[in-house]
């Protein structure tokens, strides 16, 4: 751990990370034009001196503390006013090894676990397959006041059938509109949806898969089907590009985070969440009781209290 | 943050924390005899020099890293062998302000949130009241491979009716046997149950409630009913003592953690969890695929890969 003293959060360069990384609704997306090693918004070397990786990691520690405070305010607000139902849902999608788990560990892990609600979606079970594809998603929504995280999501249901199962287009294409509708419902119910595609390069995926094969403590993360999916890389990239363009709406935007550099990925996602929380105008709710009277009641139950005792 | 260099985890003094803090099954419990400011197992000043609070906090950072590794192995093992179903369930009980939330934040928060499953139990809802008291508990059990945390639990259902609602004994007393039976079922299903009572003093509770009243960012944590419960302090202590003695079984032991000092509380709970994980003989599962062949398949999908590129 690094002693970073009074190191404050430094604003991204060139505007909010949300603006830098958001997919323009409806616009075409060419993933080949987005460099997975790029670092949009990262301040220049005059700020990140002497080492931008170490700098980004120290910033992440600060950002994490701020996210924890923001999350607590969201939680406190929901407790004070259960009718409002405000919450944030982070949807994480990526190719295998794209860094979904790492993002959860390092960014989401900075917040109080009491206020975080994580759900990972694997291949649908037999029971799930008997239901509409959004059935299991609806059952996993975060409670009011929390940050929900979907590690994979309903977007698997437009990607996997198309690319892996070569399903007919009329199976998966109509789902775009259903997803739009679903996400609009969520927004209406107070759920702020933040969708992140962690964008890694083909060669970076190969490196990370090899690293898993070479490390016995990582074998459990490897599955031979990862290579099958990898062999359809271009198809997946094309399918993702369409999804990002088609389902990146004003109410539920998609963000493409260059993710070959883990330290940039974490820094960028932390800023995205911070900027999202900022839009919620968070604060601690006022007391709904008479403070002076409660003080009196409390002191009536006790002898002299040395408040600053340790 | 403190730069603690190569600071290793130091074993508790006088044996495992589990042994030091466990309630003897069946034996009488006198909470007045357990000093909430005591620090069982904490090494002496020749080790914790120059400041045992700072020392315990640095140890907690190390313990947290180890807990994260142990939790990952538990998770990996469950993924490799879904039939086993092994998981750990930490049950946290305490008087108001006893530190349940803080323990979750500081100890459980050190682990990867993907492998942690937290559930807080408030007063039963109308729907929950229509069911058996264990109904909502059974629905909240952690999935295999995870660390579950109950922030309050089924023990509320023997404490609150007795002390707060003055319910007749034949409502709550038969629940002891049902809880025994339930916890035995859990153990049979691979759930390792660790029950922790965070033991604070009456005066420490007053200090913490006052601190909540005096800090506008903490008003949301205060409720006037906290003072009502406080006015029945002795009744709650007696009810807890009986619960600890009656339901502290060999298969699902109770631990009393002195909790007036937050840094000791966190240190002790972290050791309890670490020692519990140690009993599970954890390790990473072996590959269930042919490593050399997968390496070959992978390299077949790619050009030359510079493995150590950054």
């Amino acid at each position: 751990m690094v002693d970073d003293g009074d190191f404050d959060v430094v604003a991204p360069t060139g505007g909010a990370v949300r603006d830098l990384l958001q997919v323009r609704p409806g616009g075409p997306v060419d993933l080949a034009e987005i460099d997975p090693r790029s670092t949009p918004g990262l301040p220049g070397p005059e700020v990140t001196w002497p080492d931008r990786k170490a700098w980004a990691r120290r910033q992440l520690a600060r950002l994490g503390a701020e996210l924890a405070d923001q999350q607590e305010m969201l939680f406190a607000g929901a407790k004070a006013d259960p009718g409002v139902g405000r919450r944030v849902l982070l949807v994480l999608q990526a190719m295998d090894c794209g860094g979904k788990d790492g993002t959860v560990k390092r960014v989401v892990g900075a917040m109080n676990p009491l206020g975080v609600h994580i759900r990972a979606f694997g291949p649908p079970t037999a029971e799930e397959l008997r239901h509409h594809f959004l059935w299991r998603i609806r059952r996993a929504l975060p409670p009011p006041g929390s940050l929900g995280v979907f590690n994979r999501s309903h977007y698997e249901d437009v990607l996997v059938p198309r690319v892996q199962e070569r399903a007919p287009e009329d199976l998966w294409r109509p789902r775009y509109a259903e997803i739009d509708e679903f996400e609009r419902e969520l927004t209406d119910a107070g759920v702020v949806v933040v969708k992140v595609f962690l964008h890694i390069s083909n060669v970076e995926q190969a490196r990370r898969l090899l690293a898993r094969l070479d490390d016995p403590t990582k074998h459990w993360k490897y599955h031979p089907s990862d290579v099958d999916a990898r062999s359809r890389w271009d198809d997946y990239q094309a399918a993702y590009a369409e999804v990002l363009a088609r389902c990146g709406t004003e109410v539920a935007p998609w963000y493409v985070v260059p993710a070959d550099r883990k330290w940039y990925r974490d820094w960028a996602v932390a800023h995205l969440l911070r900027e999202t929380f900022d839009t919620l105008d968070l604060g601690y709710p006022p007391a709904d009781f008479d403070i002076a009277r409660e003080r009196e009641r409390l002191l009536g139950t006790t002898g002299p209290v040395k408040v600053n005792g340790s």
Side-chain angles (χ1 to χ4, degrees), chain A:
Chain A
M1 245 176 279
V2 177
D3 181 353
D4 49 3
D6 289 324
F7 198 67
D8 285 332
V9 169
V10 175
T13 297
V17 168
R18 283 161 64 91
D19 297 327
L20 298 172
L21 302 184
Q22 188 183 336
V23 175
R24 299 274 155 270
V29 173
D30 184 356
L31 285 173
E33 296 236 315
I34 303 175
D35 182 356
R37 293 177 64 77
S38 63
T39 58
L42 198 81
E46 70 288 357
V47 172
T48 61
W49 180 91
D51 170 357
R52 57 194 195 147
K53 177 176 173 180
W55 181 88
R57 285 284 177 228
R58 289 200 306 273
Q59 281 283 298
L60 183 63
R62 289 289 158 204
L63 283 162
E66 291 202 1
L67 289 174
D69 286 346
Q70 290 178 308
Q71 206 290 314
E72 185 174 272
M73 285 188 264
L74 183 68
F75 190 82
K79 199 184 163 208
D81 191 354
V84 174
R86 240 169 20 163
R87 61 209 102 163
V88 174
L89 176 61
L90 174 67
V91 173
L92 291 174
Q93 285 287 153
M95 298 292 288
D96 290 322
C97 294
K100 299 184 300 300
D101 290 7
T103 303
V104 170
K105 187 172 173 175
R106 287 172 181 273
V107 182
V108 179
M111 286 169 263
N112 187 338
L114 279 174
V116 170
H117 189 264
I118 301 175
R119 178 67 194 276
F121 293 98
T125 62
E127 185 188 15
E128 287 167 352
L129 284 173
R130 282 196 298 273
H131 292 272
H132 187 271
F133 76 100
L134 290 173
W135 177 74
R136 63 175 185 165
I137 305 293
R138 289 182 187 276
R139 291 158 53 98
L141 292 173
S146 67
L147 169 70
V149 182
F150 283 177
N151 187 336
R152 303 185 192 271
S153 67
H154 43 296
Y155 284 100
E156 293 292 308
D157 299 297
V158 285
L159 294 160
V160 175
R162 173 176 184 171
V163 179
Q164 209 66 36
E165 298 161 5
R166 308 284 192 205
E169 191 162 341
D170 63 2
L171 180 119
W172 50 264
R173 186 169 295 280
R175 290 181 175 174
Y176 289 150
E178 293 186 275
I179 288 174
D180 273 0
E181 174 64 23
F182 169 61
E183 292 178 351
R184 184 171 299 276
E185 266 175 47
L186 290 184
T187 307
D188 290 346
V191 183
V192 180
V193 182
V194 180
K195 301 181 296 196
V196 170
F197 174 62
L198 302 173
H199 179 42
I200 59 166
S201 64
N202 183 286
V203 69
E204 179 66 18
Q205 187 191 54
R207 280 194 195 111
R208 294 183 186 178
L209 284 171
L210 266 181
R212 287 184 182 180
L213 285 173
D214 288 346
D215 180 350
T217 73
K218 289 183 175 164
H219 287 162
W220 67 278
K221 292 187 182 178
Y222 181 92
H223 195 277
S225 66
D226 297 346
V227 173
D228 303 333
R230 178 172 167 75
S231 68
R232 297 190 173 164
W233 180 272
D234 291 341
D235 292 347
Y236 268 112
Q237 296 289 301
Y240 262 117
E242 190 175 304
V243 162
L244 295 169
R246 174 65 186 75
C247 300
T249 57
E250 290 293 351
V251 296
W254 266 113
Y255 302 95
V256 177
V257 174
D260 270 14
R261 294 182 157 105
K262 295 175 182 175
W263 51 266
Y264 173 76
R265 172 198 79 201
D266 294 339
W267 178 87
V269 174
H271 270 289
L272 274 178
L273 285 176
R274 184 173 180 254
E275 291 163 7
T276 302
F277 281 134
D278 279 345
T279 65
L280 297 179
D281 194 26
L282 297 167
Y284 286 101
D288 57 357
F289 48 82
D290 179 335
I291 298 168
R293 179 169 148 61
E294 289 304 315
R295 228 174 181 282
E296 214 170 280
R297 286 182 69 222
L298 174 58
L299 293 174
T301 65
T302 197
V305 177
K306 203 176 57 159
V307 175
N308 289 319
S310 69

